Amino acid sequence: MKTLQKTLLALAAGSLMTVGAQAAVNYGNGMTAQPYIGAKIGQYDLDKADNEAMSYGIYGGAKFTPNFGVEAEYMTTNDEDFTRGANKSEYSADVYGLYGTYDYTFPGSQMYAKGRLGVAKNKVDIDSKSLAYNRYDGKKSDTGIAGGLGLGYNLAPNAAVEVAYDWYPKVDNVADKGNLDASGVTLGANFKF
């Protein structure tokens, strides 16, 4: 990357971090919201799959009080081995979620615990690499209760990093292996406006 591009990216990142953390939206009824947006990367674990997939996605939301808010996310994965051997196949997944959140900031600290609970759609795509196994090709999805628990650290009034364990809806009848649980571990960073 050229020096000018690096300088422009550094200036852009610095500008985002200096956007006033107090720039909350006032809805006229005394209620304010502080919106945020972030990106995350991690690991998606599909039950009975041979390997965990790398996951990455975006999320955003708003805090309506210091503790309560809402959050939406989209997460996807790379292709990873579902089965090996003669019946080799791969899977990938997409998760779309909407959650209510609760944050608890530890007194005298920039660290906080975060919980979220809501509804998500978990879509798994199986792609067989052998003719004998291609009857299992296709997409399976399910929508249901999802959530997560994590820890965060406020780097600045308007920037934070979070590590979280999330669970997603079970996906029914995937590749004749039954109903499969899905979960993940992620590391994310977000900026508040």
Side-chain angles (χ1 to χ4, degrees):
M1 192 179 283
K2 295 181 181 177
T3 305
L4 179 59
Q5 289 173 324
K6 289 180 184 177
T7 304
L8 290 174
L9 284 173
L11 287 172
S15 297
L16 279 174
M17 296 196 64
T18 57
V19 170
Q22 304 304 319
V25 178
N26 189 337
Y27 288 103
N29 59 1
M31 188 174 188
T32 60
Q34 184 169 39
Y36 60 91
I37 188 166
K40 60 181 166 179
I41 188 168
Q43 186 177 43
Y44 177 91
D45 186 12
L46 182 63
D47 195 27
K48 297 186 183 176
D50 285 348
N51 292 324
E52 292 84 17
M54 185 179 99
S55 63
Y56 47 94
I58 57 171
Y59 65 105
K63 290 179 70 174
F64 297 105
T65 72
N67 301 104
F68 292 100
V70 296
E71 186 171 285
E73 79 170 339
Y74 168 70
M75 188 191 66
T76 190
T77 70
N78 66 329
D79 291 340
E80 198 52 71
D81 287 341
F82 185 68
T83 58
R84 293 183 190 156
N87 292 333
K88 182 173 172 57
S89 62
E90 294 180 337
Y91 78 96
S92 62
D94 293 298
V95 176
Y96 309 85
L98 182 61
Y99 310 94
T101 63
Y102 177 81
D103 292 6
Y104 172 78
T105 302
F106 297 105
S109 168
Q110 296 300 315
M111 186 173 281
Y112 60 93
K114 180 178 181 178
R116 63 184 198 162
L117 184 64
V119 176
K121 179 178 183 177
N122 187 12
K123 182 170 69 172
V124 175
D125 186 11
I126 302 290
D127 183 23
S128 176
K129 301 301 179 192
S130 71
L131 293 176
Y133 203 66
N134 67 1
R135 69 178 182 272
Y136 299 122
D137 281 3
K139 296 179 178 162
K140 296 284 187 172
S141 66
D142 207 350
T143 302
I145 301 295
L149 296 171
L151 288 173
Y153 187 81
N154 290 310
L155 300 171
N158 61 339
V161 293
E162 298 176 344
V163 62
Y165 170 78
D166 296 308
W167 64 91
Y168 307 111
K170 191 177 285 192
V171 181
D172 294 337
N173 197 25
V174 177
D176 206 28
K177 289 198 174 189
N179 302 337
L180 303 185
D181 292 323
S183 61
V185 176
T186 59
L187 174 64
N190 65 64
F191 296 97
K192 302 173 184 89
F193 299 101

